[in-house]
Amino acid sequence: MFKDRDMERDRYPPLTISVPPDFAEYCEGHGVSPTEVLQAFMADLAPTVESGTSLDRGRAAQWFHAIAWGRPRWNDDDALE
C-alpha cells in the first residue's frame, strides 16, 4: 500500500517556489512554517491519510474552486472514488 503511494509521489517532480515574506512572517507568527501550511492545505485539498476534518477539506476545496474559476473542473466526489 505505502509502496504504491511512494511510487505515485515520485511521479511528480519536487516543487520549488518563492515564499512571499509576508506569508512567511504570518506563518512564523503562528508558530508554523510555510512548508507545514502548504503541506496541510494540499493534504486537505486532495485527501490523504494526513487530511484534516471534513470541514477543513471543504474549505480547501471552496478556496481552490474560487481561484480556479473559469478553468475546466471535475466533481471532487468523483476524484475520491
Side-chain angles (χ1 to χ4, degrees):
M1 178 176 164
F2 291 109
K3 183 178 179 182
D4 292 339
R5 189 178 319 137
D6 291 339
M7 288 173 53
E8 183 67 18
R9 185 177 295 140
D10 292 343
R11 181 175 146 200
Y12 300 100
L15 176 66
T16 302
I17 61 170
S18 298
V19 176
D22 291 343
F23 179 66
E25 290 172 12
Y26 183 86
C27 293
E28 290 167 4
H30 287 83
V32 295
S33 70
T35 299
E36 291 172 302
V37 172
L38 295 173
Q39 286 175 333
F41 176 76
M42 290 185 289
D44 287 340
L45 185 59
T48 66
V49 294
E50 295 90 12
S51 293
T53 66
S54 60
L55 181 60
D56 296 333
R57 292 189 298 274
R59 287 179 177 161
Q62 184 178 25
W63 180 86
F64 180 82
H65 290 302
I67 63 131
W69 184 79
R71 295 188 177 117
R73 296 171 24 158
W74 66 87
N75 183 332
D76 285 339
D77 293 334
D78 293 341
L80 297 176
E81 292 178 357

